[in-house]
Amino acid sequence: MNGDEDYSHSEQQDRKASSMNSMFICSTITNPNVTAIIKAVALIIHSKMIDEKGSWRDTSDDDELYHFSEEKYLKEKYELFDQNQVELLRAEPSIDNIREFMKALYCCIRFSPECCIISLVYINRLTAFTNALLQPDNWRPLILCSLLVAQKVWDDRHVDNSDFSYIYPFFTLSELNRLEQKFLQLIQYSVHVKSSLYANYYFKLRLLLEDEDGEFPLKPLSDKAIKLLELRSEERLLYTRSYTSHKNQKTALNQSLT
């Protein structure tokens, strides 16, 4: 089986059994920067969801976020989930639910704490560009994809999509690859993060957590790191545009030959 092939039914069952039961469980994170920033981002995401709760709606198959809706996959893979798991996935998340999900991702991937800030930038960018709502059926896939893109922009050694697809058993590798491309489309391939925007998010998150806990251990980016962030996000933007252009040309060629 190559990396782009879907898992067999039995393999999906194995992944579901081993992963769904432990997906939201993580041992204590010893890095205070990560603990703090995950809590701050979870507070922001939860607040945004509560503010939009009155507008939550069922996600139809023509909705821009349909492929990020867990309801789509519950219908397609209903045999993989028991009733307790379905109820868990459909429940309105608490701050702790969001925090534990992000902690579980961190425990497996070990992304840099700065990725949390960048992922929040991308989530807000997506909702601004699409007028989409964060709601119970899509918050996990959107956080997953935003972190997937963020760690490719920021971390020196980012993990492969296959690692993400193993961590969160809803998606096969090919499904996650499509979700990443859809996510990039919805943010209009705008992966570039200016230092001023990062700083704005950083200080708002620090103020929020200082009000909550009285401390925020993550330090602002150094001048060197600021330049690195802008360089890497610009490089990722150029790569994404080039990859998409090449893929579109290949698709057009294949269609012309059929």
Side-chain angles (χ1 to χ4, degrees), residues 20 24 59 65-77 81 85-86 88-91 101 135-142 168 170-171:
M20 282 300 296
F24 311 114
T59 306
L65 290 189
Y66 178 63
H67 289 281
F68 295 92
S69 172
E70 291 173 337
E71 289 295 334
K72 172 184 185 296
Y73 302 94
L74 285 174
K75 292 176 183 177
E76 294 174 352
K77 307 175 185 181
F81 304 96
Q85 291 166 338
V86 171
L88 172 66
L89 291 166
R90 288 175 172 167
F101 179 72
Q135 52 189 47
D137 70 329
N138 65 26
W139 67 270
R140 275 179 292 260
L142 290 176
Y168 188 37
F170 237 98
F171 307 116

Side-chain angles (χ1 to χ4, degrees), residues 9 21 26 48 108 133 144 169 194 226 234 245:
H9 176 80
N21 294 330
C26 179
K48 183 176 178 64
C108 294
L133 303 174
L144 179 74
K194 292 184 178 180
I226 286 172
E234 182 66 25
S245 175

